[in-house]
Amino acid sequence: MAVVVSAPGKVLITGGYLVLEQPNIGLVLSTSARFYAIVKTIHETLAPDSWSWAWSDVKVSSPQLFKETNYKLSLRDYSLRNVAPRGSPQIVKSIPVLRLCSEGGNPFVENAVSMAVAVAAARASSSGAGSINPLLLQGLEITILGNNSFYSFRKQIEAQQLPLTVETLTSLPEFSAITRNPTEVVSGDTNVLPEVAKTGLGSSAAMTAAVVAAVLQYLSDVKLPLHGSGQTDTVELRQHLDLVHAVSQAAHCAAQGKIGSGFDVSAAVYGSQRYVRFSPSVLASQEGSSRQTFVEKMRRLMIEEWDGERTPYGLPPHLTLIIGEPGYGGSHTPSLVGAVMKWRKANLPERDEIWNSLAKANLRVEAGLKLLNTLAQSVGKTYTTVLELCSILPVDQWQTIIDTTSEGKAVVEALLETRTAFETVRGLMRKMGEGAEVPLEPPVQTQLLDQTMSMNGVLFAGVPGAGGFDAVFAVTLGEDARNRVQEAWSSKGVLSLPITEDPQGVSLEQEDPRTSEVGSALHAMSIN
């Protein structure tokens, strides 16, 4: 039996920094770039005395890193222990449920496995379903795969003198080998490239959610919707996703050693949404907890304590998302966040004014997109016609296409208001960055984004999330405008990623993604 689960990456289009504080909102889009977790048994048959075993085997494989890590899973408290690569079964590191210090492993995966198994075991026992130990004794073989768009292949492409185009990226074998930066690279005082070159789509959150969901699905504790099935929202489905979400947030926070805003994990589980963070105190009290205490905490979180908010919130029809890797050198997000929050905590009137004005501008962007969604439903034909016409005209001519009907005028005005509100967001983000003395929208990014927004059919463009040098995004009026932006970006050395919005969150897949036409037999290859 094999279970295949996927979870999407994310793009935070508004709410950078403010989403760290309640009740500020973040608009986050989930993407077609997905992480996959494949869970199956290790042992097809068990020895007759297997009932007396105290440990189960767990093997975690990351083919893209050419890495395999073996563990022993305690059937007493469901903690993991990293097994030495030589001299097995020597145990070299104990990994309790809530305090992880791993050597050679992946803390996000390890916390995800340990916490998911602990919760599934407790729930099976309390529901009368019996012990899950017989299934665990067959072992857990977990394979983790990330879509190429989570990682940067710019250096390999440039080394082969291939064009920096989306076509080049799509020609790579799916699940290509991940490259590592040979040395730590610094751009300025705070911009540090990570060991693995990433594109900022929230790989750790997507991976954590995929592993948690796959383990829970494998142990029959949740029933996930099929990816692309269009399954409608039900009470049972919400309960199952809420369980995946609570465990994923706990695992992600434990692995990174801090309690973040959680929007990336929420997007990985639920998909595109309007997000308001949970109170840090909700998860703070679990540090150092026993397994039983942790399980009780997860139960309470699902019922009464989780005070975050989320509302499904995708792009309106015919609006398309495009993400690009500029190649200016990466930004160290924790350094940016630290500088901005230090600036924020001074509580000076002029800083509060910027912060509050930015919150209002974010709400205006949200309202504009919401109105466009409403108009798409209420005046569908007019909405589509207006977008088609605006997509081939510069923005200063959009109002010239308005006919005598109020419907057409309403669509154009909603487009212009959304664009104006986003321009305000960009300006305030730059002002905040100047005050905190960090490049939230560096001048080189400003120039690129201004040029992008001057193109026909571009609604708005910006730097996602925490900003900096990592990535840029644009929202266009249709595919033709998207293609024009991709071509323009390529001419400027910006590598467009072959992804768009996928509003569905964590999902069950029907097959191993490596068996698909795109990825068969190629998942461990890379360009040399």
Side-chain angles (χ1 to χ4, degrees), residues 161-176:
Q161 298 183 334
L162 297 172
L164 289 169
T165 63
V166 69
E167 289 78 16
T168 300
L169 277 178
T170 54
S171 70
L172 299 182
E174 185 59 289
F175 311 118
S176 290

Side-chain angles (χ1 to χ4, degrees), residues 195-227:
E195 182 183 14
V196 174
K198 300 179 181 180
T199 55
L201 295 179
S203 57
S204 64
M207 177 172 59
T208 300
V211 172
V212 166
V215 171
L216 291 175
Q217 177 83 28
Y218 179 82
L219 298 176
S220 301
D221 200 29
V222 298
K223 293 182 181 179
L224 300 173
L226 276 174
H227 187 208

Side-chain angles (χ1 to χ4, degrees), residues 19 40 73 98 124 131 199 216 226 238 271-272 274 300 343 374 379 389 391-392 437 442 444 449 479 494 496 502:
V19 76
K40 60 183 179 180
L73 174 71
L98 293 174
S131 173
T199 55
L216 291 175
L226 276 174
R238 286 197 300 273
S272 297
R274 177 193 194 269
R300 291 197 304 272
W343 170 89
T374 300
V379 295
L389 292 172
S391 71
I392 59 175
E437 298 183 345
V444 66
L449 295 173
E479 290 295 330
V494 179
S496 299
D502 178 354

Side-chain angles (χ1 to χ4, degrees), residues 269-292:
V269 175
Y270 299 111
S272 297
Q273 62 191 267
R274 177 193 194 269
Y275 179 80
V276 177
R277 73 157 303 155
F278 56 89
S279 298
S281 59
V282 169
L283 290 177
S285 61
Q286 68 173 310
E287 185 66 33
S289 300
S290 66
R291 177 182 65 86
Q292 181 177 0

Side-chain angles (χ1 to χ4, degrees), residues 50-66:
S50 63
W51 61 270
S52 65
W53 295 357
W55 299 91
S56 177
D57 296 318
V58 175
K59 179 170 67 175
V60 177
S61 300
S62 299
Q64 291 164 284
L65 289 171
F66 301 101

Side-chain angles (χ1 to χ4, degrees), residues 339-359:
V340 170
M341 298 316 292
K342 181 180 179 181
W343 170 89
R344 164 67 174 151
K345 289 177 181 178
N347 290 324
L348 298 176
E350 62 270 20
R351 298 183 184 184
D352 290 341
E353 182 180 355
I354 294 174
W355 191 267
N356 295 333
S357 296
L358 186 53

Side-chain angles (χ1 to χ4, degrees), residues 122-193:
R123 285 166 55 86
S125 177
S126 63
S127 68
S131 173
I132 63 172
N133 286 3
L135 182 57
L136 292 175
L137 282 171
Q138 292 185 267
L140 298 175
E141 181 178 340
I142 303 171
T143 303
I144 300 167
L145 300 163
N147 182 274
N148 287 347
S149 292
F150 283 102
Y151 305 103
S152 174
F153 293 92
R154 170 182 286 272
K155 289 184 178 179
Q156 300 96 303
I157 292 173
E158 291 177 334
Q160 291 200 19
Q161 298 183 334
L162 297 172
L164 289 169
T165 63
V166 69
E167 289 78 16
T168 300
L169 277 178
T170 54
S171 70
L172 299 182
E174 185 59 289
F175 311 118
S176 290
I178 301 167
T179 61
R180 296 177 180 268
N181 295 316
T183 58
E184 190 175 76
V185 180
V186 179
S187 174
D189 295 330
T190 59
N191 302 319
V192 182
L193 289 177

